[in-house]
Amino acid sequence: MTSAPGTPVRVGVFGLLGSGNLGNDGSLEAVLGYLRAAHPKAVVDALCGGPEVVASRYGIPATRLHWYRGEYRTASRAGAIAAKGLGKLVDAVRTAAWVRRHDLVIVPGMGVLEATLPLRPWGFPYSLFLLCTAGRLCGTRVALVGVGAAAIRDRPTRALVRWSAKLAAYRSYRDEMSRDAMRSMGVDTAHDEVYPDLAFALPAPRAAPGPQGPVCVGVMDYHGGNDDRARAGEIHRRYVEGTTRFVRALVEDGRPVRLLIGDETDTAVVGAVLDAVDSPLVTAAEADALADLMKEMAAADSVVATRYHNLVCALRVGVPTLALGYAEKSVALMDLMGLGAYCHPAREVDADRLLAQFRELERRSAEVRRTLVERNRAVTEQLDQQFTALTAALFREAP
C-alpha cells in the first residue's frame, strides 16, 4: 500500500460494469458490500463501461473505460477505424493516469480471463492488459478477485490474458478449472486460491413458491464461443428453436413460464420466444440487477437458465435449477452445488431430453432444495474466507 498512515485507502474498481450485463454488476455490488463493511473509510471510484449507471446505482464516482465511444461497434469506414486506433493510444495514457491515483485496483469477478463468448484481443483483453501493466509500472496493486478463466486458442488474446494475469499482484478464481486454465497458459498459480463466485455474497430472498409457481427460463443471445464465428448464425438458430420447443412443451402441460434475461442483448431472444409460443402463460420479467432476478426466482418452482449468473442467482436462492450451459464453468458451478446431473448443452438443445431432465429435477425438488440449503451455507463460509484473505493481502497498512 502507498497511502500514508491515517489517510483513506484509494480503491479503484475496473471492468465492463454498468454496461447492461447483470452478472458483472452483481460482482461489483458484492465487492462494494465487502469494502463498505470491512473498509468503510476507503475512497472508491470506478473505471468502467457504463459510468453513468455505476455512479447513479452504486453512488461512486465513475470514469468511462474507453475514450472512443464507439469502441464496441464494428468499424468499417476509414474515419471510424482511425478513431478506434487513436482511442487505443489515448486509453493507454488515460488508464495509466487513473491507476496511479489509487493504492489498489480491484477487478471484481467476471470472466475476464476467458474467451468463451466472442471476443477480440483489442477489446477488453487489451484494456485489462493496460490496467495490469500500469499497475506494475505505477506501484499500484491490481487484484483479480474471484475471476473466471478458460484456455484460449487465439494467440493474441491468449498472450494479453496471460500477461495481464502475470502482472496482477493478487489473483483468485471462481472455480478450479479457471486456475487450471491459467496454469496451462504459463501463469504461476501456486499461491492463487479458489473461492465461489462473488455473487453468492449478495443477500437473497427466501425461496417461497406458491401452490404452482412459474418455471423461470433464463435465455441468452447465444451465438457460440470465440472459435465459432463461422457457425454463429446456425448455433443461435438452433438454440432459440430448442428453447422455444421446451417452453412450448411447458405451456402444453399448463405451466406458467417466466422469461428472464441476464444482459440487455437477451431481450431479442425473449421477443422471439414470446412471438413463437404466443400464450398468456408465457410472460417476460424486467430485471435491472441480480436482486430482481433472485426475487423472480424465489417465487418459482424451478429454474432453467443459460447465463452463468442466472444460474448463480437460482442456486443462491435455493430453487431447483437446470443449467442450459454454454461453457464448462456452468458444469463446475452445478457440481459445486450438488446438481451436476442437471446440465444440458446450449450448443445442441434437445428439447425432449431437456424436458426429461427437467421432470426428473422437479420429481426430486424437495431433496434438491435441502441440498442447496447445505451448499449455500458452505459457500457463504468460503466467501467470508475470500474477503478475509483479500484484506490480509491488500489492506495490510490500511488505517
Side-chain angles (χ1 to χ4, degrees):
M1 301 294 299
T2 58
S3 286
T7 62
V9 180
R10 300 162 298 177
V11 181
V13 288
F14 177 95
L16 293 179
L17 310 165
S19 301
N21 185 284
L22 305 188
N24 291 358
D25 291 355
S27 298
L28 168 64
E29 186 177 348
V31 165
L32 291 178
Y34 151 71
L35 290 172
R36 287 164 177 163
H39 305 283
K41 295 182 181 180
V43 178
V44 183
D45 72 308
L47 184 62
C48 58
E52 298 85 0
V53 173
V54 168
S56 64
R57 184 174 295 168
Y58 302 109
I60 61 174
T63 303
R64 185 172 298 280
L65 179 60
H66 301 293
W67 172 79
Y68 178 56
R69 289 176 178 260
E71 172 63 30
Y72 292 104
R73 295 194 297 267
T74 300
S76 56
R77 297 184 178 182
I81 294 172
K84 182 172 283 193
L86 176 61
K88 299 302 178 187
L89 299 176
V90 174
D91 285 346
V93 177
R94 292 175 69 251
T95 301
W98 181 80
V99 167
R100 70 184 303 173
R101 297 199 300 267
H102 298 83
D103 300 304
L104 66 101
V105 174
I106 296 175
V107 180
M110 306 178 285
V112 297
L113 302 178
E114 64 182 52
T116 52
L117 296 175
L119 182 70
R120 298 295 191 189
W122 53 83
F124 188 77
Y126 173 75
S127 299
L128 184 65
F129 174 72
L130 289 181
L131 171 77
C132 296
T133 301
R136 182 61 65 93
L137 294 175
C138 298
T140 299
R141 307 192 81 189
V142 174
L144 309 181
V145 181
V147 298
I152 299 171
R153 293 176 58 186
D154 179 73
R155 288 186 178 182
T157 304
R158 184 172 66 244
L160 289 170
V161 165
R162 181 176 65 248
W163 277 106
S164 296
K166 285 185 173 183
L167 291 168
Y170 176 91
R171 295 179 300 268
S172 65
Y173 307 97
R174 63 189 179 191
D175 49 46
E176 292 282 355
M177 57 165 285
S178 293
R179 182 168 62 182
D180 291 345
M182 295 314 299
R183 184 184 300 119
S184 73
M185 289 192 284
V187 177
D188 181 2
T189 62
H191 302 290
D192 299 351
E193 297 294 338
V194 173
Y195 302 98
D197 188 85
L198 291 171
F200 278 108
L202 296 175
R206 296 184 63 180
Q212 185 179 44
V215 178
C216 285
V217 178
V219 301
M220 178 178 177
D221 187 29
Y222 177 62
H223 294 78
N226 207 44
D227 300 324
D228 297 317
R229 294 178 184 273
R231 302 177 51 235
E234 173 66 14
I235 291 172
H236 179 70
R237 181 186 64 78
R238 292 177 63 177
Y239 169 77
V240 174
E241 288 179 354
T243 303
T244 299
R245 282 189 59 199
F246 174 70
V247 171
R248 186 178 288 116
L250 293 176
V251 169
E252 290 171 353
D253 286 345
R255 303 295 298 274
V257 176
R258 195 77 163 143
L259 299 177
L260 306 177
I261 65 170
D263 191 287
E264 291 175 354
T265 61
D266 302 335
T267 55
V269 178
V270 169
V273 175
L274 287 172
D275 290 344
V277 179
D278 191 22
S279 167
L281 288 175
V282 185
T283 57
E286 294 185 3
D288 294 322
L290 294 189
D292 298 328
L293 292 180
M294 285 193 273
K295 183 177 179 181
E296 293 282 347
M297 293 170 174
D301 281 350
S302 51
V303 175
V304 178
T306 301
R307 282 199 180 270
Y308 181 84
H309 279 99
N310 279 25
L311 295 172
V312 170
C313 286
L315 297 167
R316 177 74 178 94
V317 171
V319 178
T321 304
L322 198 160
L324 189 56
Y326 62 88
E328 287 300 313
K329 61 185 178 183
S330 299
V331 177
L333 173 64
M334 296 294 281
D335 282 339
L336 173 69
M337 301 304 286
L339 298 183
Y342 299 103
C343 297
H344 192 98
R347 178 185 296 274
E348 298 177 359
V349 183
D350 181 332
D352 293 333
R353 188 164 69 87
L354 180 61
L355 190 62
Q357 287 179 288
F358 172 77
R359 287 171 174 160
E360 172 64 15
L361 175 70
E362 289 217 314
R363 187 183 68 79
R364 296 183 53 218
S365 177
E367 176 189 347
V368 168
R369 288 178 183 272
R370 288 193 296 270
T371 296
L372 290 176
V373 169
E374 296 171 1
R375 296 299 175 105
N376 269 297
R377 188 178 299 118
V379 161
T380 299
E381 292 175 358
Q382 291 166 22
L383 279 173
D384 287 343
Q385 295 170 13
Q386 160 71 103
F387 293 133
T388 299
L390 195 60
T391 291
L394 300 177
F395 289 85
R396 290 189 297 269
E397 298 173 23

